[in-house]
């Protein structure tokens, strides 16, 4: 039997990269996936792709999509209500939507302030907003929350990166642990995934224009290659399914070994 049958799974940022791969991977395990993205057309494309796969339908999987900017709290509440009314009770939430900038603290003043506001609004406030909106459903279903952290949940990287991104991903891990502690007795499990350098549209221009940066990452990556979005699916399915029934408050590093050295 597929691992996620009878689950309704919401994935934010599901129009691209890691979120899209996880949405497809969950549907292949029989989940009904709700793809959310600030780019509604991209989310719809993810959902259409899922609905077109016959093997997914055979496993009971399906998909819907909505436009959502996770930084807008009222919109998060409204979408949670709409999904409850139109689709059902959500039992899996993947907080994946995120943005990255590579400006340090000493960049132009305007940049660093704007980067801070934008990144914290999406990467950290967004995780809170969506979790808060779906919490009643997740508590009722003894659900599972998976937050997408980073190696920057632990360290700053010396390739250019913004302090806001590092702070946001440290915050995601702290939020994961706090929620795991508070919700464990209710049977809600809260975990994170820590991707390393994953080839997605997020870093496409960096990969195209900055081979030095990629080399710096790869020199620090025992597996010696960038990850793929599909590499994130196994850890996500594990954390969403009963295979991880006694795992909460954890972060699974899917980083090619970056943090081991
Ligand atoms: P991606 O390909 O850029 O996908 C992110 C998706 O989130 C995009 O569709 C993006 O839409 C959407 N999004 C952006 N802002 C949003 C908002 N306010 N509300 C809803 N959706 C929004 O990036 P990815 O590499 O898959 O990254 C996914 C997650 O993994 C992020 O949290 C990222 O920090 C994390 N991560 C990635 C890496 C990596 O190396 N790729 C490493 C560690 C952690 P637009 O394209 O329209 O902006």
């Amino acid at each position: 039997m597929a691992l996620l049958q009878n689950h309704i799974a919401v994935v934010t940022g599901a129009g691209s990269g890691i979120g899209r791969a996880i949405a497809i991977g969950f549907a292949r395990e029989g989940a009904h996936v709700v793809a959310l993205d600030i780019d509604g057309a991209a989310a719809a494309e993810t959902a259409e792709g899922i609905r077109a796969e016959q093997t997914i339908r055979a496993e009971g999987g399906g998909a819907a999509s909505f436009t959502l900017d996770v930084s807008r709290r009222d919109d998060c509440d409204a979408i949670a209500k709409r999904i409850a009314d139109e689709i059902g009770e959500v039992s899996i939430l993947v907080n994946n939507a995120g943005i990255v900038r590579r400006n340090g603290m000493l960049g132009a003043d305007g940049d660093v302030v704007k980067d801070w506001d934008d990144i914290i609004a999406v990467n950290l406030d967004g995780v809170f907003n969506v979790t808060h909106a779906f919490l009643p459903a997740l508590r009722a279903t003894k659900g599972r929350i998976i937050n997408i952290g980073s190696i920057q949940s632990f360290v700053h990287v010396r390739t250019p990166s913004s302090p806001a991104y590092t702070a946001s991903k440290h915050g995601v891990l702290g939020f994961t642990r706090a929620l795991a502690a508070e919700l464990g007795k209710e049977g809600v499990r809260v975990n994170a995934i820590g991707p390393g350098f994953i080839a997605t549209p997020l870093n496409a221009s960096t990969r195209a224009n900055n081979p030095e940066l990629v080399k710096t990452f790869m020199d620090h990556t025992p597996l010696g290659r960038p990850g793929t979005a599909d590499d994130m699916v196994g850890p996500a399915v594990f954390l969403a399914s009963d295979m991880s029934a006694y795992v909460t408050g954890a972060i699974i590093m899917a980083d090619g070994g970056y943090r081991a050295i």
Side-chain angles (χ1 to χ4, degrees):
M1 176 171 143
L3 289 168
L4 301 179
Q5 267 174 8
N6 302 319
H7 281 284
I8 298 176
V10 162
V11 183
T12 68
S16 177
I18 293 170
R20 174 171 282 179
I22 290 175
I24 295 168
F26 279 7
R28 288 182 179 151
E29 289 297 336
H32 188 91
V33 171
V34 185
L36 303 177
D37 202 288
I38 193 168
D39 181 342
E45 215 177 284
T46 299
E48 275 158 32
I50 288 171
R51 288 193 296 266
E53 265 195 46
Q54 203 183 344
T55 46
I56 289 181
R57 292 201 300 273
E59 293 292 358
S65 69
F66 298 95
T67 306
L68 178 71
D69 177 345
V70 298
S71 71
R72 299 172 70 103
R73 189 168 302 153
D74 291 349
D75 292 359
C76 294
D77 292 341
I79 215 78
K81 184 174 180 330
R82 195 165 163 201
I83 291 170
D85 291 345
E86 294 179 17
I87 298 173
E89 250 176 351
V90 169
S91 53
I92 298 168
L93 167 63
V94 183
N95 283 307
N96 164 79
I99 57 173
V100 72
R101 308 252 169 86
R102 296 204 178 276
N103 305 314
M105 191 70 176
L106 304 181
D109 276 353
D111 283 352
V112 79
V113 171
K114 183 169 172 19
D115 287 349
W116 181 270
D117 289 347
D118 292 350
I119 289 171
I120 297 298
V122 179
N123 295 12
L124 192 53
D125 291 343
V127 171
F128 172 83
N129 293 341
V130 180
T131 303
H132 186 255
F134 286 99
L135 205 52
L138 290 162
R139 291 175 70 196
T141 56
K142 299 191 188 302
R144 298 98 207 249
I145 302 171
I146 300 164
N147 298 321
I148 305 300
S150 167
I151 49 185
Q152 285 173 251
S153 294
F154 296 93
V155 294
H156 189 63
V157 291
R158 277 185 292 165
T159 50
S161 187
S162 74
Y165 188 81
T166 298
S168 74
K169 292 300 185 181
H170 273 63
V172 165
L173 180 55
F175 185 64
T176 300
R177 288 171 169 155
L179 274 196
E182 194 175 338
L183 300 177
K185 291 274 190 322
E186 297 193 20
V188 179
R189 296 189 295 106
V190 190
N191 291 290
I193 295 172
F197 188 75
I198 313 301
T200 70
L202 184 87
N203 48 36
S205 73
T206 301
R207 283 181 286 115
N209 304 319
N210 197 343
E212 276 301 302
L213 182 150
V214 178
K215 183 175 181 315
T216 304
F217 265 107
M218 289 309 104
D219 286 349
H220 198 109
T221 301
L223 289 184
R225 64 165 177 89
T228 66
D230 284 340
D231 287 330
M232 304 301 111
V233 174
V237 169
F238 169 70
L239 290 175
S241 75
D242 291 342
M243 290 184 81
S244 58
Y246 201 55
V247 180
T248 197
I251 181 165
I252 295 189
M253 298 310 294
D255 63 355
Y258 187 101
R259 278 195 68 247
I261 60 174

